[in-house]
Amino acid sequence: MTASNGKGPYRQAQFDPLAELRRADEPPWDVYLTGTVFLDIIFTGLDSAPVRGTESWARGMGSSPGGVANMATALARLGLKTALAAAFGDDHYGEYCWDALEQGERIDLSASRTAPGWHSPVTVSMAYEGERTMVSHGHEPPPEEPAPDCSPRARAAVASLTPGTSAHWIAGAAERGTRIFADVGWDDTGRWDLAGLPDLRHCEAFLPNAEEAMRYTGASCPRAAAHALTEHVPLAVVTLGAEGAYAVDRRTGETAEVPAIEVEAMDPTGAGDVFVAGFVTGTLAGWPLADRLAFAGLTAALSVQEFGGSLSAPGWSEIAAWWRRVQSYDHQDPAALGRYAFLEPLLPESARAWPLRRAVPTIGFRRSA
């Protein structure tokens, strides 16, 4: 694979949210990730879900790296130095995903590898009426899947916990001072037992959604579930869908709740990854808990207004454009604006026009130099 040449349509000037915290002896990476990269092909503009025995035409289509690449891209676009360990197929899809992540998003792939004879997993996502339907195909991961027991030294890592399994690199990273932020998928076993998440004890923060949090704790409401989770992890963040998010920090006794931003959702793909990326960014920057929640919710809200997972992850230009736009309305609620006033000194003075439309990479098109 070729090294990054600093060119490509994805690149934009990066704001460094950790600039004032950087020291000569700091870890080389802000965030480390490992997982499976998919090729995502997204169809949009469908009036309804495809019906068996019929042909549906979509008004829009795009392609991008997906899977763990959604999280990696979201982190990188927020200015964090991001390292990813993943296996890539030696097919054209794998080359495309590698190039898009390394050259397009400045993600370090030195811990990744190309797996001979293994083709890239593929997901086709169909977005309609704010919902999505997905069809995926892939083979078993190749031997020696990149998830080293000794992960690169980083300020933080994002881990996706799997019920009933343990990832050895998590404990090692935590012992070396890496702050672990964890999310979790649906428990297909139906046990919903926190003892089945052994790596949770190594984590600083756990970010489930409301349904997951209540099932794991047996609590009758998500806020009570967040408090119950702090018996197992220092910081619990529970996403509440249209109601926003709620967080409890056991170490400080602090709680925070921030309502969601009302938007017209085009495609929810990757919104959870973007939320986690926003929260990690604010945490590493040392922001107050409520500001971290607000920022995470904002980035997630911006992402669902575009289609695709990594395609829709916002950068600082998108955030600045949104901030300038909402301040231009005559009848904005001053309290709502005040909630996001902490952004003012962080944002670039110039922002592109709103709404923004990212260039949609299509396999086979050449980039201009």
Side-chain angles (χ1 to χ4, degrees):
M1 300 293 178
T2 58
S4 173
N5 60 7
K7 299 177 181 178
Y10 311 101
R11 291 193 178 280
Q12 57 178 280
Q14 286 286 336
F15 166 72
D16 184 357
L18 309 185
E20 296 182 359
L21 303 176
R22 299 200 182 279
R23 303 291 183 268
D25 60 346
E26 70 177 7
W29 306 113
D30 295 327
V31 188
Y32 167 75
L33 297 162
T34 187
T36 302
V37 174
F38 285 70
L39 170 71
D40 281 356
I41 301 174
I42 308 103
F43 292 102
T44 64
L46 290 164
D47 295 323
S48 62
V51 178
R52 182 176 179 177
T54 67
E55 181 180 17
S56 299
W57 279 84
R59 291 187 290 274
M61 175 265 181
S63 53
S64 65
V68 71
N70 292 336
M71 180 75 73
T73 299
L75 290 161
R77 287 186 182 171
L78 292 177
L80 299 186
K81 298 177 182 178
T82 303
L84 171 63
F88 288 77
D90 63 352
D91 50 16
H92 187 49
Y93 293 167
E95 292 180 0
Y96 165 79
C97 289
W98 187 296
D99 178 66
L101 295 174
E102 184 185 58
Q103 296 195 43
E105 305 295 351
R106 312 181 200 181
I107 295 167
D108 182 82
L109 299 179
S110 58
S112 296
R113 68 183 179 92
T114 298
W118 184 66
H119 80 67
S120 304
V122 177
T123 292
V124 175
S125 176
M126 292 158 280
Y128 53 91
E129 298 177 352
E131 299 292 339
R132 59 177 173 165
T133 298
M134 297 185 291
V135 178
S136 297
H137 172 71
H139 294 287
E140 288 295 318
E144 301 176 5
E145 177 89 11
D149 290 341
C150 184
S151 60
R153 195 164 65 96
R155 295 173 187 265
V158 180
S160 184
L161 305 183
T162 302
T165 65
S166 179
H168 297 299
W169 70 266
I170 294 177
E175 289 174 2
R176 292 190 299 277
T178 297
R179 304 164 73 176
I180 311 295
F181 296 76
D183 61 11
V184 69
W186 190 258
D187 186 353
D188 291 327
T189 69
R191 296 188 182 95
W192 297 102
D193 182 4
L194 285 170
L197 302 177
D199 291 327
L200 191 60
R201 66 181 183 273
H202 304 298
C203 298
E204 172 173 330
F206 186 40
L207 299 95
N209 63 35
E211 184 67 19
E212 293 161 349
M214 289 189 292
R215 285 179 179 266
Y216 272 118
T217 61
S220 59
C221 77
R223 292 161 187 82
H227 286 272
L229 286 172
T230 59
E231 297 178 8
H232 306 271
V233 65
L235 177 58
V237 181
V238 177
T239 54
L240 309 174
E243 295 183 38
Y246 182 80
V248 183
D249 191 329
R250 182 186 70 206
R251 294 161 300 189
T252 64
E254 185 180 10
T255 64
E257 183 168 2
V258 174
I261 297 174
E262 293 185 9
V263 296
E264 183 177 348
M266 176 184 290
D267 181 5
T269 304
D273 294 324
V274 173
F275 182 94
V276 173
F279 190 81
V280 170
T281 300
T283 301
L284 295 184
W287 300 350
L289 184 57
D291 289 354
R292 286 180 265 165
L293 276 190
F295 185 72
L298 168 60
T299 54
L302 293 178
S303 77
V304 302
Q305 295 179 84
E306 303 290 343
F307 67 84
S310 61
L311 279 175
S312 66
W316 288 98
S317 289
E318 283 88 343
I319 296 166
W322 172 83
W323 180 237
R324 304 291 181 254
R325 175 80 171 188
V326 296
Q327 291 184 93
S328 70
Y329 293 125
D330 294 332
H331 303 293
Q332 280 287 2
D333 180 358
L337 282 178
R339 172 60 270 165
Y340 296 92
F342 71 94
L343 291 171
E344 186 64 44
L346 303 175
L347 298 176
E349 293 183 2
S350 61
R352 290 177 286 171
W354 179 273
L356 293 161
R357 293 290 182 269
R358 288 190 181 275
V360 179
T362 301
I363 296 173
F365 282 6
R366 293 184 178 274
R367 290 184 185 162
S368 57

